[in-house]
Amino acid sequence: MYLGPPPRSSLLLMLLCSLPALADDLFLDGQPLPQVLTATRLKQSAAAVPGSMTVIDSELIKASGARDISELLRLVPGMMVGYTTGNQASVNYHGTSASDARRMQVLIDGRSVYRAGLATVDWSDIPVAMEDIERIEVFRGPNTVSYGANALMAVVNILTRSPANSQGSRMKVTRGERGINDFYASQGVGWETGDLRLSLSGQQDDGFDSNAVGADRRDGRRLNRFSLAVSQTLNAQQSLDWQLNVKEGTNQRPYTYTPIFDGITEGSNNSDVTAKDYAGSLRWNFDFNPDHSLYIQGSAQQWDRRQIWKACDAKVSFSPQLTQLWQLNPNYAERLARNMEAYSQGSAPPGSAAEQALANQVLDQWKHQGGKDPVCGDIDQSTRESRYDLELQDTLSLSDSLRLLSGFNYRYDRADSDTYFNGTLDDTTWRLFGQLEWRASEHWLLQGGAMYEDTHLSGHSLTPRVAVNYLINPRHGLRAVYSEAVRSPDMFENNVNWSYRVTNLSSPAYGQDSGQYFVVTRGPGNLDKELMRSRELGYNGFFADLGLNVDVKLFYDEITDMISSPLRNNQYIASNANSSHFTGAESQLDWRVSNADRLRLTYAYVDASSSNPLDKAQTARNSGSAGWLREWGQGWSSAVFYYGDDALNQYRFQRVDLRVAKRIAVARTNVELAGVLQQRLDNQPTTWADNNYDHRHVLYFSAELDF
C-alpha cells in the first residue's frame, strides 16, 4: 500500500508525555463545546451525534486553496472524489459507480440541490461561491431519517456565512495555468433590524488537456454567479431569512457520438451545454421560548441545460421498418444495424418470421433506396428541471433530559426533456419526520428517529435509526448506531422515455425534414427503492488541553435492491437485482498543536464487494489526507496538504497542494496575496483514461482586498 502511515511514533510520544493532562481532560468539562446541526437537525456536540461527522471550517477552506466544493471533500475520510470530465466531478461516499453519483444528499443551508430528474449533483454548477461558505458539515453515513430518500450514504450540508458576518467590501481575483480565471466581489451592509450580503463571482478554466489518444480534451467551463442573502429581525421572537441565487455559464462537452452505421464520419465537433440555474428561499423563524422553536421554509429552484448538437448517420436510421424491428426485438435490430453492410451481401440474420420480414425490408432500403446515404441534423438534448419545496420543523425541549424534533415536508419535482421524457414528467413527495433524544443519565444518551415518505412515482417507505451514546464526559463519547435508509429510483432510471428527434435534416428522410431515430428506450416504471442497512461503532473525543479532536469509526453497510449501470440508450438495464457491501474503518484527527500550528489527518479503509463490478469502480480500498497549517508571523502563513487513494476506477491518485500567503494591513484595508501549487505525485489519468494533463503541476495566484 503506497499511502504511508501517519507519524505514529512522534504522536504517541507526545501523548504519553501529556498523560496527566489527558486524565484531567477526560473527566472535567470546563469550556463550551462546538456544535453541529446536520446529523439530526438538533444542535449537538460531536460526541453526542448518532453517527460520524466531518466539519470543514472556514480556516480549512481558505488554507486548502481549493476552487471547487468537490475538491474540499477530499478532506473527508471515505469520500471518493473523481471526474468524468474536467467540469464534471463525480463524488461518492465509499464509492459505487465511477460515472454516476446518485446516493448522496447535498444541501445549501438545508435546501437540496440534488436533481431528481437526472439523478445528479452538478458540483461545478452549484450556485454558491467558495468565499461565501462558512463551513461544510458532512454526515458520513445514511441519513434518510433526517433528509429523506437520496440521503442513502451521506449528507453534505454547505452552510453559508450569515449576512451579519459579511459586513464591508471584499474583492478577489485568481489567475493561473490551465486557463484559471476567477473573480469574487461582495458587499455587506446592516441596519438596525437586519443585514444584507450581495456577492458576484465567476470561474473559468480549460479542464483536462488531452484524452487517451492525445487529442484535445474539450471540457472547459465558464460560469458567473449572483447571490443575495438577507436576514431581518421582526421582533424579539421572530425573524426572516431569504436568499436568491442565479448562475449562468457554459460547460464544454467532448463530441462522443459514434454513428451506428459504417462509413458515416461527419458530425459536430462539440455538444456543449449552456447552463442557467435559479434558486430562491424564504424562511420564517419563531422562537416561542428558549425551549421551543419552529420554522417554516419555502424554496423554488430551476435548472436549465440547453444542449443542441449536430449528428450524422445513415438515412436508414429513420426507417419506419427499422423502428418497428427495434420495438419487436432491440437486440436483433442492433445486430442488424451494426452489421448492415455484411448482411446486405446475403440475407437477414436468423430470427422469427416477423423479424426477418422487417429486416429484409430494411436491407432493401439500404441497398436500393439510398439508405446508406449520410444524413445530418440537429439533436436537442436540452433539459429543464424545477422543484418547489415547503417544510415545517418544530423543536421542543420536553424536559432537561428529553428533546423532540418533528416536522413535515412537501416537494414537487418536474422534468422537461423531449429527449429523455418525450415531454414532461413530474413527481410529488410527502414526508413526516421525527427525532427523539433522551438523556437517560449523566453518561447515557439514547436517540431514535424515523422518516415516513410517500412518493407518487415510487411509493412509500419508513426508515428508522436508533443510537446509543455513552458519554465519558460531554467531550468524549462512544456510540453504537443502527440505521436504515432508502433511495428512490429517479425519473431517469424508472420512467425514462428516451429517443432522439433529429430536425433540420440535410436531406429529406422518407419524405420528412425531421425524423425519429430508430432506437427508443423506456424505463421499466416499476422499480423499487434501494435499501441500505448500516451498523456503526465509533468514538469521538475532544482533548481540550491539547486542542486535539479525534474520531474513529467501524462500519458495515449493505445495499440491497440496487439499481446499477449500464443505463445507455442502446443498452438499458434497470432492475433491483444488485447488491453491495462496504466494511471498514475510518479515522480523522484534527490537532491545534499551538496558536501557530494545526495538523489534520484522515484515513479510510473500505472493503467493497458487489454483485455488479461497476458498483465498486469508485471505491479505493485505502484513501486519506494529511494537512499542516502554519502561521509564521508578520502576516505570513502556509498550508500543505497531501491527498491520496490507491485506485479510483483502477487509477491511483496522489497529489500535494502547497499554499503560501502574505497578509498586509494598509489603513483600514486588508490585502492578502497567495499562491497555490498543486503537484501530482503519480503519472496516471484522473479517474478515466481520457482525463490527462500535459503537466503534472498547476500554479495559480490570488489577490484579495477586504475593506
Side-chain angles (χ1 to χ4, degrees):
M1 181 182 72
Y2 79 91
L3 186 65
R8 296 177 182 171
S9 57
S10 59
L11 176 60
L12 182 60
L13 180 61
M14 297 185 74
L15 290 176
L16 289 174
C17 293
S18 305
L19 278 177
L22 287 177
D24 291 342
D25 190 74
L26 276 172
F27 298 100
L28 295 176
D29 181 34
Q31 66 182 55
L33 289 173
Q35 293 186 317
V36 294
L37 180 65
T38 302
T40 63
R41 297 173 178 248
L42 292 168
K43 290 183 179 180
Q44 296 175 303
S45 67
V49 167
S52 306
M53 288 288 300
T54 295
V55 177
I56 305 173
D57 56 40
S58 57
E59 181 184 24
L60 277 174
I61 293 172
K62 184 169 219 176
S64 71
R67 299 172 54 244
D68 293 293
I69 294 169
S70 56
E71 285 293 312
L72 280 174
L73 295 180
R74 295 188 187 278
L75 293 167
V76 180
M79 198 67 75
M80 311 296 174
V81 180
Y83 285 86
T84 55
T85 68
N87 55 59
Q88 288 183 297
S90 178
V91 183
N92 294 275
Y93 181 63
H94 288 171
T96 65
S97 172
S99 58
D100 302 309
R102 292 192 166 103
R103 298 177 174 90
M104 190 166 67
Q105 181 63 274
V106 180
L107 312 165
I108 299 178
D109 295 324
R111 169 176 55 85
S112 172
V113 294
Y114 179 97
R115 294 167 53 192
L118 299 181
T120 187
V121 175
D122 287 338
W123 290 98
S124 67
D125 285 337
I126 290 179
V128 59
M130 298 285 284
E131 292 78 9
D132 283 339
I133 299 175
E134 176 66 28
R135 69 187 188 277
I136 300 175
E137 294 186 357
V138 182
F139 185 83
R140 296 163 16 233
N143 206 348
T144 296
V145 172
S146 296
Y147 298 101
N150 303 117
L152 187 79
M153 301 183 76
V155 175
V156 176
N157 194 7
I158 303 160
L159 300 169
T160 60
R161 291 184 298 133
S162 70
N165 296 329
S166 308
Q167 300 298 300
S169 303
R170 188 178 177 194
M171 293 185 292
K172 181 180 179 182
V173 293
T174 303
R175 300 288 187 274
E177 298 173 325
R178 297 178 184 164
I180 292 174
N181 186 357
D182 305 341
F183 75 90
Y184 172 82
S186 72
Q187 179 66 49
V189 296
W191 54 94
E192 184 178 353
T193 59
D195 299 278
L196 174 151
R197 182 189 69 243
L198 172 67
S199 66
L200 302 172
S201 60
Q203 283 182 277
Q204 185 173 331
D205 59 58
D206 295 337
F208 292 105
D209 294 326
S210 58
N211 62 19
V213 297
D216 180 59
R217 184 75 162 131
R218 187 180 175 82
D219 60 352
R221 61 170 169 168
R222 177 200 59 81
L223 63 92
N224 296 296
R225 292 175 294 235
F226 165 90
S227 177
L228 177 64
V230 179
S231 294
Q232 176 69 49
T233 300
L234 302 179
N235 56 41
Q237 293 180 307
Q238 301 181 67
S239 64
L240 289 176
D241 298 310
W242 61 275
Q243 295 184 10
L244 177 64
N245 301 95
V246 180
K247 193 232 72 179
E248 69 83 26
T250 301
N251 292 327
Q252 292 182 331
R253 292 286 190 272
Y255 184 74
T256 58
Y257 175 74
T258 302
I260 284 189
F261 297 95
D262 293 335
I264 310 298
T265 58
E266 299 179 46
S268 175
N269 63 356
N270 74 78
S271 52
D272 295 352
V273 178
T274 300
K276 293 182 179 180
D277 295 346
Y278 310 91
S281 65
L282 174 65
R283 175 167 167 163
W284 174 56
N285 307 286
F286 195 102
D287 295 323
F288 297 97
N289 55 58
D291 296 325
H292 190 194
S293 63
L294 176 146
Y295 77 73
I296 300 174
Q297 177 171 298
S299 65
Q301 300 178 79
Q302 182 170 293
W303 299 269
D304 279 335
R305 299 293 181 270
R306 182 170 175 79
Q307 184 179 24
I308 299 177
W309 47 280
K310 185 177 289 294
C312 297
D313 219 315
K315 177 181 175 181
V316 77
S317 301
F318 307 108
S319 164
Q321 288 74 30
L322 185 55
T323 301
Q324 292 178 46
L325 186 58
W326 175 270
Q327 294 170 347
L328 185 64
N329 187 336
N331 293 327
Y332 184 95
E334 184 169 3
R335 185 165 74 252
L336 175 69
R338 294 290 187 190
N339 303 279
M340 188 73 75
E341 192 63 38
Y343 285 123
S344 68
Q345 306 303 317
S347 59
S352 68
E355 291 168 354
Q356 287 189 313
L358 288 169
N360 283 322
Q361 293 181 60
V362 174
L363 289 172
D364 182 70
Q365 293 168 347
W366 178 264
K367 291 187 292 184
H368 303 120
Q369 300 179 34
K372 64 175 67 178
D373 296 341
V375 177
C376 300
D378 295 328
I379 292 179
D380 189 343
Q381 202 166 320
S382 303
T383 61
R384 172 180 292 179
E385 296 182 54
S386 305
R387 170 174 298 157
Y388 302 95
D389 197 290
L390 178 65
E391 181 170 280
L392 181 147
Q393 177 181 302
D394 183 86
T395 305
L396 177 64
S397 294
L398 300 170
S399 68
D400 291 340
S401 60
L402 195 62
R403 288 197 296 172
L404 173 66
L405 180 143
S406 58
F408 84 88
N409 176 275
Y410 168 78
R411 195 177 81 188
Y412 173 80
D413 287 295
R414 170 174 168 156
D416 296 276
S417 174
D418 290 338
T419 296
Y420 295 120
F421 302 113
N422 194 29
T424 299
L425 185 68
D426 60 8
D427 195 12
T428 56
T429 302
W430 291 91
R431 295 171 177 154
L432 294 173
F433 56 89
Q435 176 77 23
L436 186 66
E437 179 191 84
W438 177 36
R439 292 187 175 271
S441 70
E442 182 181 358
H443 296 289
W444 289 99
L445 179 65
L446 306 179
Q447 302 180 70
M451 168 81 74
Y452 175 80
E453 179 173 287
D454 184 75
T455 304
H456 173 69
L457 291 179
S458 54
H460 64 273
S461 62
L462 178 65
T463 50
R465 176 174 62 203
V466 291
V468 178
N469 293 64
Y470 179 75
L471 301 179
I472 303 170
N473 76 14
R475 290 194 294 266
H476 297 266
L478 303 171
R479 63 182 180 269
V481 186
Y482 172 81
S483 60
E484 295 182 1
V486 297
R487 185 184 76 87
S488 300
D490 56 75
M491 298 179 186
F492 178 76
E493 291 168 317
N494 204 18
N495 305 97
V496 72
N497 188 352
W498 191 355
S499 62
Y500 289 102
R501 173 159 293 279
V502 185
T503 59
N504 303 319
L505 292 176
S506 56
S507 62
Y510 305 99
Q512 297 183 352
D513 292 331
S514 64
Q516 190 84 13
Y517 199 61
F518 75 94
V519 177
V520 178
T521 300
R522 288 184 171 85
N526 61 352
L527 293 175
D528 202 355
K529 291 178 169 66
E530 295 181 345
L531 174 62
M532 183 172 186
R533 295 180 176 90
S534 174
R535 295 93 172 166
E536 175 182 332
L537 296 174
Y539 160 77
N540 183 280
F542 177 50
F543 300 91
D545 291 345
L546 292 177
L548 176 64
N549 190 289
V550 179
D551 188 89
V552 180
K553 165 183 174 177
L554 304 175
F555 61 88
Y556 174 71
D557 300 334
E558 56 179 339
I559 307 176
T560 55
D561 297 329
M562 196 169 180
I563 305 165
S564 302
S565 298
L567 302 176
R568 298 190 295 268
N569 190 231
N570 63 336
Q571 188 182 9
Y572 197 87
I573 304 172
S575 71
N576 294 105
N578 293 288
S579 62
S580 292
H581 297 77
F582 302 92
T583 307
E586 293 173 2
S587 61
Q588 63 182 21
L589 179 150
D590 198 323
W591 187 7
R592 295 187 179 272
V593 182
S594 66
N595 291 332
D597 293 283
R598 179 181 179 183
L599 296 178
R600 195 173 185 282
L601 302 173
T602 69
Y603 173 74
Y605 172 84
V606 183
D607 183 22
S609 62
S610 174
S611 59
N612 185 336
L614 293 175
D615 284 325
K616 60 178 182 179
Q618 192 156 320
T619 299
R621 184 178 291 266
N622 299 281
S623 62
S625 68
W628 173 35
L629 286 64
R630 169 76 176 175
E631 292 285 344
W632 297 94
Q634 297 184 339
W636 286 96
S637 63
S638 67
V640 60
F641 291 89
Y642 165 83
Y643 308 103
D645 58 67
D646 52 11
L648 282 187
N649 205 27
Q650 302 180 350
Y651 294 109
R652 179 180 298 176
F653 181 90
Q654 294 184 82
R655 195 180 78 198
V656 171
D657 294 2
L658 172 65
R659 181 180 186 269
V660 178
K662 168 66 173 176
R663 292 186 299 275
I664 305 170
V666 181
R668 297 181 179 180
T669 302
N670 293 314
V671 179
E672 183 180 74
L673 305 177
V676 176
L677 172 67
Q678 295 181 343
Q679 177 68 53
R680 284 287 292 268
L681 304 181
D682 60 83
N683 194 31
Q684 297 195 10
T686 303
T687 314
W688 294 93
D690 283 328
N691 294 337
N692 297 278
Y693 289 119
D694 294 339
H695 304 285
R696 308 310 290 174
H697 68 270
V698 62
L699 183 64
Y700 52 94
F701 298 91
S702 65
E704 184 173 353
L705 192 65
D706 194 347
F707 57 94

